[in-house]
Amino acid sequence: MTENSSDNRPQSARRLALALIALTILFCCVSAFGAYRFTSLFEKEKAAQNVLQEKLQAVMLIQSSVLDLQTYVLDGDTRARDRLSDKTGQLEVLMHNNSSDKDYQQMYEAFHMWRQMLAVPMIGKRQEFDTSSLNFSEMGIAYIQANAPMHQRRIEELGAQALKASKDNLDAIHGEIAGALFPLLLLTASTGITALIIAFLLMRSL
């Protein structure tokens, strides 16, 4: 019986060694897959964050343009008029860089309509007021007739929708990362613990 036990030891050790090698290969494969998967997800997350930041920049440019127009119309501050012109150029660059994005298209179309239907006419009215050819009441009537609240509300709604869509997309990516992390950690831990057990049994069989 002692001789049979001695003969079985090399066979057991060989099987344990093969199992350990298989687990090591599995561990390497799991690690490689996990690295690839998380690299892809983190790149996706970074891209989504960049999109959100750019859309936030576009929304802030539009909102501040509305305030600049109001400042120029009420106070005649030409710096506000110049800022409005600069921000229009910045929005056009953002639109050009994201021309395939539906949210940018909708925001820019609404901004363009606001500019053509409200901003440009009111800038002209303010210039008439500054030359004393128009009184303040007439300028206020022109502002109301241009339906300023409707244009501004439309701009605000589209901006909020664009930001919500980007935030939802980023949250979904975070969910993917969390969903992939737990199974991978569990599989990695299970593989590591099993490998340790086999290594311990292998040492005892020698």
Side-chain angles (χ1 to χ4, degrees):
M1 186 176 292
T2 304
E3 290 179 359
N4 290 336
S5 299
S6 299
D7 292 338
N8 289 334
R9 279 189 174 183
Q11 293 179 3
S12 299
R14 192 178 298 110
R15 285 195 293 268
L16 288 170
L18 290 173
L20 186 59
I21 292 171
L23 278 173
T24 302
I25 294 172
L26 176 62
F27 181 80
C28 291
C29 291
V30 169
S31 299
F33 173 78
Y36 170 78
R37 176 65 173 159
F38 280 106
T39 298
S40 175
L41 284 173
F42 285 133
E43 287 177 354
K44 191 176 178 181
E45 180 196 29
K46 184 178 179 181
Q49 286 178 339
N50 289 337
V51 168
L52 176 59
Q53 289 299 319
E54 287 193 349
K55 285 185 180 177
L56 181 60
Q57 180 185 359
V59 169
M60 291 179 67
L61 282 171
I62 291 172
Q63 290 177 347
S64 60
S65 294
V66 172
L67 293 176
D68 286 333
L69 176 64
Q70 292 174 349
T71 300
Y72 177 64
V73 170
L74 293 174
D75 300 337
D77 188 345
T78 56
R79 292 172 300 178
R81 182 192 61 195
D82 294 339
R83 287 196 302 269
L84 176 57
S85 178
D86 292 340
K87 289 168 185 176
T88 299
Q90 294 177 43
L91 279 168
E92 288 175 349
V93 171
L94 279 173
M95 179 59 199
H96 178 73
N97 293 337
N98 300 276
S99 57
S100 61
D101 191 302
K102 183 183 70 174
D103 290 333
Y104 277 102
Q105 291 175 357
Q106 291 179 338
M107 282 193 295
Y108 186 74
E109 286 171 3
F111 177 78
H112 182 71
M113 183 176 292
W114 169 85
R115 188 170 184 274
Q116 294 300 316
M117 301 297 292
L118 181 66
V120 172
M122 290 311 302
I123 288 172
K125 293 295 183 183
R126 179 68 210 195
Q127 291 170 343
E128 290 180 31
F129 176 79
D130 291 338
T131 58
S132 300
S133 60
L134 188 75
N135 61 48
F136 199 82
S137 296
E138 291 172 326
M139 190 168 62
I141 292 171
Y143 191 80
I144 295 171
Q145 288 177 339
N147 208 351
M150 184 272 289
H151 290 294
Q152 293 171 9
R153 185 167 58 251
R154 176 65 173 162
I155 287 173
E156 290 172 0
E157 288 174 354
L158 289 174
Q161 289 174 12
L163 291 179
K164 183 179 184 303
S166 293
K167 289 177 181 176
D168 289 345
N169 182 49
L170 187 59
D171 289 341
I173 294 172
H174 287 157
E176 285 186 60
I177 293 173
L181 182 60
F182 179 74
L184 184 64
L185 288 175
L186 182 61
L187 183 57
T188 302
S190 300
T191 305
I193 292 171
T194 305
L196 287 174
I197 294 171
I198 293 174
F200 176 73
L201 294 174
L202 180 60
M203 291 176 62
R204 290 195 61 183
S205 66
L206 295 177

